[in-house]
């Protein structure tokens, strides 16, 4: 606008029919995406010492949700597809004020209001799916088919304040800060088989003090240390007469030693302690003793380096880490008979996600990334991740096992953690074969992994190929692209020991959800 004030406006809209075909409704858009977001940012430099930064955000998400397939593919039979919607209004105001050449005061205030709805067709099917088949109720003399929907509606209000004082000296720097957040979540669950709608209110107040000190020991060596102390007050109540007011005192921190080599290489070693606050499973069907879960803590040991080689044409980054985790927050599920309510009983069954705590575990891994400008026309890049995870001790009464019905827990000691592939990689490159033309491609892969800590089903490993042919003009760019060119069937989520298909008399079997299939398209960018 002038020498002191500037603005930016951004609007984004994304629409897709999705990759699911609803056979019963004869529709291809029941798992659609319809997302719109707009952002306004206004920056004002009042004077040499004071600057203000205002951001306003609006988001409107109207996605469908119809992702559960009885045939373990991308075809569904539901008669009442669900939704996955969100409407958000948010704003943030930041201030930077220079107290001196070395010292600065920063402040940030933000607020967001969101309305969210998630619903789905719980039976995954429709009346009449058994007509003229072996499961036709007329052949059995009674109607044993079930139909239900589940609908979660949340109002989420979140306000935060962050104040910090920074000092940048010649050989040392430091920051101290105060953080405060107030969040309220009101939930209403509308479920076909519930006697009444379930509602809950969860209010959390977080207040934290933090600081960090960085010291240059000499031109090459530096030392850094930081601490954070946080108090978390929680107030929970629901329509099932459950009440809880837990308070937690949490702390985290880090110490790091860094070395800057003369050749540009950067090496570091650090020890850090982190935490993930506890919470509540906001579902009225979960037993009272499983409603609340505890905080998780982790000690992280890390070594790494970043360097450039071959006259700075090759950049290389490597990280080696070991993490000791305590009270691991593990995603579990409860499968209960809809007719009897008995856990592990005869299906048709309800499937309820919840979070529980494992005793302890550890993660260890290696990450490598590189980017190599091999020539003026060829650029190669890639990454490799190796991961080893294990539960040191975890007695699970919800794990599918032969002794579960007898009340004997399953010990997951020595078992891999869920969603933790042992390896994943990406290798890509770009070839500029003409002045304005370039061909890019990448191969990415991932090892198999457990879907859940509750059962033994695993996702298959895969290797995926992506290609793009692009033309770059002075102010515009156009490209033909192909994602997942070989049409790999990539599983993203799996449900084990669950029966929901009336055509198979609700026989227990695994079910999967899938990532996008092969996608071929064109895209263009224009700069005004």
């Amino acid at each position: 606008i002038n020498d002191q004030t500037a603005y930016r406006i951004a609007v984004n809209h994304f629409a897709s029919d999705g990759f699911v075909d609803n056979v019963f409704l004869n529709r291809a858009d029941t798992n659609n995406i319809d997302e719109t977001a707009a952002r306004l940012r206004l920056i004002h430099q009042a004077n040499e010492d004071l600057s203000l930064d205002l951001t306003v955000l609006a988001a409107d998400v109207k996605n469908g949700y119809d992702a559960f397939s009885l045939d373990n593919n991308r075809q569904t039979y539901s008669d009442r597809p669900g939704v996955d919607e969100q409407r958000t209004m948010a704003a943030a105001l930041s201030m930077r004020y220079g107290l001196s050449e070395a010292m600065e005061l920063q402040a940030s205030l933000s607020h967001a209001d969101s309305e969210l709805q998630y619903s789905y067709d719980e039976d995954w099917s429709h009346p009449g799916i058994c007509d003229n088949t072996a499961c036709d109720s007329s052949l059995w003399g009674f109607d044993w088919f079930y139909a239900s929907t589940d609908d979660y509606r949340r109002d989420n209000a979140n306000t935060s304040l962050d104040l910090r004082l920074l000092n940048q000296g010649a050989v040392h720097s430091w920051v101290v800060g105060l953080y405060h957040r107030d969040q309220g979540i009101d939930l209403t669950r509308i479920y076909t088989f519930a006697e009444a709608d379930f509602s809950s209110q969860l209010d959390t107040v977080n207040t934290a003090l933090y600081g960090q000190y960085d010291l240059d020991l000499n031109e090459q060596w530096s030392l850094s240390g930081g601490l954070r102390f946080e108090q978390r007050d929680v107030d929970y109540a629901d329509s099932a007469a459950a009440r809880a007011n837990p308070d937690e005192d949490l702390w985290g921190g880090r110490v790091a030693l860094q070395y800057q080599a003369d050749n540009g290489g950067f090496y570091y070693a650090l020890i850090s302690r982190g935490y993930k606050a506890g919470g509540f499973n906001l579902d009225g069907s979960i037993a009272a003793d499983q409603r609340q879960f505890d905080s998780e803590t982790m000690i992280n040991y890390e070594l790494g380096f970043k360097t450039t080689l071959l006259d700075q044409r090759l950049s290389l980054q490597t990280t080696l880490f070991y993490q000791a985790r305590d009270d691991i927050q593990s995603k579990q599920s409860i499968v209960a008979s809809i007719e009897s309510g008995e856990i592990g009983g005869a299906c048709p069954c309800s499937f309820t996600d919840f979070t529980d705590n494992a005793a302890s575990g550890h993660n260890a891994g290696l990450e490598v990334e590189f980017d190599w400008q091999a020539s003026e026309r060829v650029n190669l890049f890639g990454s490799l991740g190796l991961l080893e995870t294990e539960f040191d001790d975890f007695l699970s009464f919800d794990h599918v096992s032969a002794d579960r019905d007898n009340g004997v827990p399953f010990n997951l000691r020595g078992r891999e953690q869920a969603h933790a592939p042992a390896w994943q990689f990406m290798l890509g490159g770009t070839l500029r074969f003409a002045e304005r033309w370039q061909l890019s491609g990448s191969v990415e892969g991932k090892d198999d992994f457990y879907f859940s800590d509750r059962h033994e089903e695993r996702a298959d490993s895969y290797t995926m190929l992506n290609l793009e042919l692009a033309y770059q003009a002075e102010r515009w760019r156009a490209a033909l692209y192909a994602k997942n060119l070989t049409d790999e069937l990539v599983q993203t989520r799996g449900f084990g020991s669950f029966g929901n298909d009336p055509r198979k008399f609700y026989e227990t079997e695994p079910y999967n959800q899938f990532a996008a299939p092969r996608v071929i398209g064109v895209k263009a960018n224009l700069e005004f």
Side-chain angles (χ1 to χ4, degrees):
I1 300 174
N2 51 46
D3 291 341
Q4 293 179 292
T5 308
Y7 69 89
R8 172 185 293 167
I9 297 174
V11 179
N12 180 77
H13 179 70
F14 179 55
S16 169
D17 285 346
F19 305 105
V20 168
D21 292 323
N22 188 302
V23 177
F24 174 68
L25 297 177
N26 192 28
R27 289 172 52 188
D29 63 350
T30 53
N31 202 52
N32 70 305
I33 297 175
D34 184 359
E35 302 179 352
T36 303
R39 184 178 70 251
L40 168 65
R41 185 179 179 191
L42 184 66
I43 300 174
H44 179 65
Q45 187 73 40
N47 52 51
E48 292 184 358
D49 298 323
L50 176 62
S51 65
L52 301 173
D53 189 340
L54 174 66
T55 301
V56 179
L57 171 73
D60 187 16
V61 177
K62 298 179 180 178
N63 297 341
Y65 194 80
D66 186 25
F68 299 111
S69 171
L70 294 175
D71 295 331
N72 271 322
N73 54 24
R74 297 187 182 93
Q75 292 183 331
T76 64
Y77 298 91
S78 54
D79 59 332
R80 290 176 288 182
V83 300
D84 188 5
E85 298 185 350
Q86 175 178 342
R87 284 159 294 280
T88 294
M89 288 295 299
L93 176 63
S94 298
M95 178 202 74
R96 302 169 69 102
Y97 183 72
L99 300 173
S100 67
E101 291 186 1
M103 190 172 297
E104 182 176 270
L105 176 65
Q106 297 180 359
S108 177
L109 175 65
S110 66
H111 178 77
D113 273 310
S114 298
E115 296 179 2
L116 305 101
Q117 182 180 4
Y118 164 67
S119 64
Y120 64 98
D121 189 333
E122 188 183 40
D123 55 85
W124 306 1
S125 58
H126 60 86
I129 194 173
C130 281
D131 290 353
N132 302 316
T133 69
C135 66
D136 194 327
S137 59
S138 64
L139 302 177
W140 299 86
F142 61 94
D143 188 5
W144 49 271
F145 176 86
Y146 92 99
S148 67
T149 59
D150 209 353
D151 187 349
Y152 296 82
R153 304 182 183 189
R154 291 178 172 87
D155 291 329
N156 188 335
N158 199 326
T159 302
S160 66
L161 173 67
D162 195 3
L163 299 173
R164 58 177 62 183
L165 184 65
L166 303 93
N167 184 84
Q168 180 67 52
V171 296
H172 68 91
S173 61
W174 51 262
V175 57
V176 293
L178 170 66
Y179 175 80
H180 181 82
R181 187 186 71 156
D182 192 336
Q183 182 180 28
I185 302 176
D186 295 336
L187 166 71
T188 299
R189 182 192 184 194
I190 305 169
Y191 181 46
T192 300
F193 293 113
E195 296 181 359
D197 294 347
F198 172 81
S199 62
S200 67
Q201 299 80 41
L202 175 64
D203 296 310
T204 59
V205 177
N206 298 62
T207 303
L209 290 172
Y210 61 89
Q212 180 166 313
Y213 182 78
D214 300 323
L215 175 65
D216 292 335
L217 302 175
N218 54 42
E219 292 183 355
Q220 294 180 311
W221 290 92
S222 62
L223 184 65
S224 174
L227 280 175
R228 180 185 182 96
F229 295 93
E230 182 169 339
Q231 184 181 51
R232 186 170 187 263
D233 299 326
V234 180
D235 187 5
Y236 174 82
D238 63 36
S239 56
R243 300 288 188 273
N245 302 95
D247 297 333
E248 289 186 284
D249 291 325
L250 306 165
W251 71 273
R254 65 191 296 270
V255 176
L257 182 64
Q258 301 164 164
Y259 175 74
Q260 184 74 55
D262 293 334
N263 61 4
F266 177 77
Y267 303 81
Y268 72 91
L270 69 84
I271 301 175
S272 60
R273 184 186 193 272
Y275 57 84
K276 185 190 296 183
F280 290 85
N281 295 298
L282 306 183
D283 196 313
S285 64
I286 297 175
D289 60 349
Q290 292 179 314
R291 195 73 57 83
Q292 184 176 349
F293 56 92
D294 298 328
S295 298
E296 175 183 346
T297 58
M298 182 179 73
I299 305 294
N300 176 60
Y301 307 89
E302 190 170 321
L303 295 173
F305 75 88
K306 305 174 185 179
T307 189
T308 57
L309 304 168
L310 305 178
D311 295 328
Q312 297 188 340
R313 291 186 293 111
L314 172 63
S315 63
L316 181 64
Q317 178 174 324
T318 301
T319 303
L320 179 67
F321 63 87
Y322 178 87
Q323 301 166 340
R325 305 173 64 185
D326 194 24
D327 288 329
I328 298 174
Q329 292 179 6
S330 169
K331 188 174 183 180
Q332 298 283 304
S333 54
I334 298 175
V335 177
S337 171
I338 289 177
E339 182 177 352
S340 66
E342 179 184 355
I343 296 178
C347 288
C349 299
S350 63
F351 191 100
T352 304
D353 287 328
F354 75 104
T355 301
D356 198 6
N357 292 100
S360 60
H362 68 266
N363 301 356
L366 173 69
E367 297 175 349
V368 180
E369 298 180 29
F370 78 92
D371 191 303
W372 180 30
Q373 190 67 46
S375 68
E376 292 184 359
R377 294 180 176 271
V378 178
N379 176 247
L380 300 175
F381 50 88
S383 63
L384 172 66
L386 304 178
L387 181 64
E388 187 269 334
T389 67
E390 188 175 298
F391 286 111
D392 298 334
D393 197 16
F394 186 13
L395 294 176
S396 173
F397 285 89
D398 298 297
H399 193 278
V400 177
S401 63
D403 294 328
R404 183 186 61 178
D405 296 337
N406 298 323
V408 178
F410 186 89
N411 196 337
L412 276 72
R413 182 188 298 116
R415 187 183 189 267
E416 297 175 8
Q417 297 164 21
H419 288 273
W423 53 262
Q424 51 188 329
F425 75 92
M426 187 276 294
L427 181 63
T430 299
L431 170 64
R432 296 174 179 84
F433 59 88
E435 181 180 359
R436 296 187 178 275
W437 288 92
Q438 71 176 34
L439 179 65
S440 302
S442 66
V443 178
E444 58 183 277
K446 184 182 291 186
D447 191 21
D448 60 343
F449 57 85
Y450 285 111
F451 283 119
S452 171
D453 298 328
R454 177 187 165 270
H455 54 74
E456 300 299 312
E457 297 300 323
R458 299 178 69 96
D460 295 329
S461 60
Y462 69 85
T463 302
M464 184 187 302
L465 175 63
N466 308 301
L467 290 175
E468 179 182 283
L469 176 64
Y471 179 84
Q472 178 71 60
E474 183 176 352
R475 291 192 175 184
W476 60 271
R477 183 179 188 272
L480 172 68
Y481 67 88
K483 298 181 179 180
N484 191 9
L485 186 60
T486 56
D487 201 19
E488 293 293 316
L489 191 63
V490 178
Q491 302 151 318
T492 58
R493 193 179 182 194
F495 307 85
S497 301
F498 180 62
N500 212 36
D501 191 344
R503 302 167 304 176
K504 300 178 181 178
F505 300 95
Y506 299 110
E507 175 186 352
T508 298
E509 60 180 329
Y511 296 103
N512 295 319
Q513 291 180 344
F514 306 97
R518 176 174 52 230
V519 176
I520 298 176
V522 294
K523 58 183 179 181
N525 299 66
L526 174 63
E527 293 184 4
F528 296 93

